[in-house]
Structures are given as C-alpha cells and as structure tokens.
Amino acid sequence: PADDYVDGLAYVSTRTGVGKIDLARIFHALSSLLPQGQRDRLEERWANVGAEALDDLFSAIQDRKTVIVLDNLDDLQDQETGQLTGDDLLRFLTVACRYRNPPLIITTSQHPLGLPSEISVHATRIDIAEGLDLEEALQLLRNLDSDGEAGLRNLPDRELRKAVELVHGTPRGLELLAAQLSDRRTATLQRILEAKDTPEVLLGRLVSEGFHSLGSVGQDVVRLLALADTPMPIEVFPGMSEREHSESAVERTVERLVNWRIIGFDRASSTARLHPMD
C-alpha cells in the first residue's frame, strides 16, 4: 500500500556505543528522529523532568511511522527467568502500550523476554530457528575468505552448502569456520564436515579450538572480555595486562583478534566485545 513505509528508524544495542540500554539512551535515539526545533524542546524537557518527558516524546512521534530496535536484550535478562532486570525498559514499554499509535518496537534476544501481562498482550513473538538463507550464507562465506586464505572462496556451492547447513546458517558459525580454516593451514572443510558433529557440538568445538589456538596474550584478552561481559575500549587492554605482557604485544594481539574475527570491534565507539555464542 502507498502508506506502507517507515519514516524514522532508531537502533540501540547493548553491544555498541556505551554498551547499555537505559531510558535516556532510548529517549535520545527517538527524539533525534524529529526536526531540530521539536528535538531541542524534548531534550530540554528531559533535562528538567527526566522520565516524565516520555509522554511528550510519544505525543511528538504519534503521527509518524517510527521503528525502534532494541538489540541484544540478553544482556538485560535474568539468567534463570528471562525477565528484564532493569526498570528503565519496563517503564518505556509500559508507556508505549498506553498510546494509540506508538512506535513499532523490535527487540532481539536468544530467549523470550519475561514480560508482565500488561505488556505481553501487546507483544508478538517471532521465533527464528535458522540463520541466513542459503544464498546469503554462501555469499557471506566467500566474503569472509576474500583473500583465499581459508580455501573457501573458490569451492563449489555444493561443498559450501554443507558447511552452511552444519552451522544452521548462523553468521557467527560461518565466521568461526572461516577463522579456523584461515588460522590452521592443516585444517580443511572436508575434515570438519567428516567429523559428523551436531551443529551445537561443532559450534562449541570451533569456539573452544579457536580459543586454545591463541597464544597467552590472546587468551588473556579473551578472558578479560569474558569477565567484563560488556564491550570494552580497546585502549584499556594494555594497562590491564601490563604485568604479564608488554603494551605493544597486547596492541598487536588485539588487532590480530579483530582481523581474525575472534573478537568483535565497533569502530564508532572503539570498543571490543565477545560474541554471546563465544
């Protein structure tokens, strides 16, 4: 239909930028979609009354088709119950449910959100069991081996298809495959396929072997990220490891880990993180 469009998209993740999602970050992400005058008034209102400015925000965007993505909410869930652990998100969702035309809110998490009933009746759960579709996955595998180091770039589709199926098409699984083959010259895709592991076992083995193939500096960097459980500025690693490793060794290792996709890196915030699968 002619009116089927989106005129504002905001994206907030626990693994980019400041590494957290709170009410202020959501408010600023949505207000930034508005014209300068409205935005300035809303920001001033937020500075004066805080969360009470949510009503003004929703009134300002109610005639627009706005989408906000709250990504990686796993980091804000109770490990046992799946319930959101902070009050900020629940308050935002509660206010949104009161409005006639709120923004479309998309959340992502590996486990269902434990939402109170007054919010859950407004939610639609979409389970995604598989990863990328076949064509996208094949293209990603070839892109991950753009220099041919992993021996994947020129393989026929039928062989790459088996690899895609083995990791359920998950982007991280494909990254781990490419990283393993690039790092270990004696490893071949055929040998990995012949192991006949289940996808879950294979992914776990790829993560484990990737970690154990690192030197002591690389393992310490990964351990720091695992302990932190949140994105970390890359400039802090040398200082945190100075007793065991030289600053230059840590800097070179972090660069190499990013290039091998062992750790993720967000250029905008200059922070590194571990993938939740790892």
Side-chain angles (χ1 to χ4, degrees), residues 65-76:
K65 294 200 171 184
T66 305
V67 176
I68 182 165
V69 181
L70 306 176
D71 204 5
N72 308 122
L73 294 192
D74 316 78
D75 298 338
L76 304 177

Side-chain angles (χ1 to χ4, degrees), residues 44-53 56:
E44 183 178 356
R45 177 79 172 142
W46 173 267
N48 291 330
V49 300
E52 292 181 19
D56 301 275

Side-chain angles (χ1 to χ4, degrees), residues 214 216-258 262-266 269-275:
L214 302 175
S216 61
V217 185
Q219 289 186 1
D220 283 350
V221 169
V222 170
R223 286 192 184 101
L224 283 172
L225 282 170
L227 286 169
D229 197 29
T230 189
M232 293 175 63
I234 60 171
E235 59 267 19
V236 306
F237 290 110
M240 297 181 76
S241 307
E242 62 184 353
R243 291 185 180 179
E244 291 83 15
H245 314 294
S246 70
E247 181 175 333
S248 60
V250 175
E251 289 175 346
R252 287 196 306 270
T253 299
V254 170
E255 185 75 22
R256 191 165 64 249
L257 293 177
V258 171
I262 300 295
I263 63 177
F265 178 68
D266 178 56
S269 60
S270 192
T271 55
R273 63 168 176 80
L274 280 185
H275 191 281

Side-chain angles (χ1 to χ4, degrees), residues 21-162:
I21 297 179
D22 58 17
L23 206 50
R25 194 173 174 201
I26 293 171
F27 187 95
H28 299 319
L30 284 171
S31 65
S32 69
L33 302 175
L34 293 166
Q36 189 68 50
Q38 281 183 291
R39 183 191 318 169
D40 291 344
R41 287 191 293 273
L42 283 169
E43 295 291 347
E44 183 178 356
R45 177 79 172 142
W46 173 267
N48 291 330
V49 300
E52 292 181 19
L54 279 176
D55 286 325
D56 301 275
L57 173 65
F58 282 114
S59 294
I61 62 176
Q62 66 179 349
D63 294 328
R64 299 166 63 90
K65 294 200 171 184
T66 305
V67 176
I68 182 165
V69 181
L70 306 176
D71 204 5
N72 308 122
L73 294 192
D74 316 78
D75 298 338
L76 304 177
Q77 287 180 276
D78 182 274
Q79 295 286 322
E80 299 295 327
T81 65
Q83 293 181 335
L84 292 171
T85 53
D87 295 332
D88 277 16
L89 266 181
L90 288 176
R91 183 164 189 175
F92 171 71
L93 296 173
T94 300
V95 174
C97 290
R98 292 205 306 258
Y99 271 80
R100 176 180 58 82
N101 188 31
L104 175 64
I105 302 167
I106 299 174
T107 70
T108 73
S109 56
Q110 294 187 57
H111 303 287
L113 298 180
L115 297 171
S117 57
E118 62 267 26
I119 297 176
S120 63
V121 295
H122 298 276
T124 300
R125 174 175 158 184
I126 302 173
D127 292 316
I128 302 175
E130 300 296 332
L132 301 174
D133 67 36
L134 182 59
E135 289 306 315
E136 288 180 324
L138 293 177
Q139 187 61 50
L140 176 58
L141 260 183
R142 296 191 194 283
N143 290 345
L144 290 170
D145 188 31
S146 58
D147 57 7
E149 290 288 316
L152 296 169
R153 185 181 59 187
N154 298 318
L155 286 178
D157 284 357
R158 66 177 182 279
E159 291 189 40
L160 293 184
R161 189 178 297 117
K162 294 177 184 177

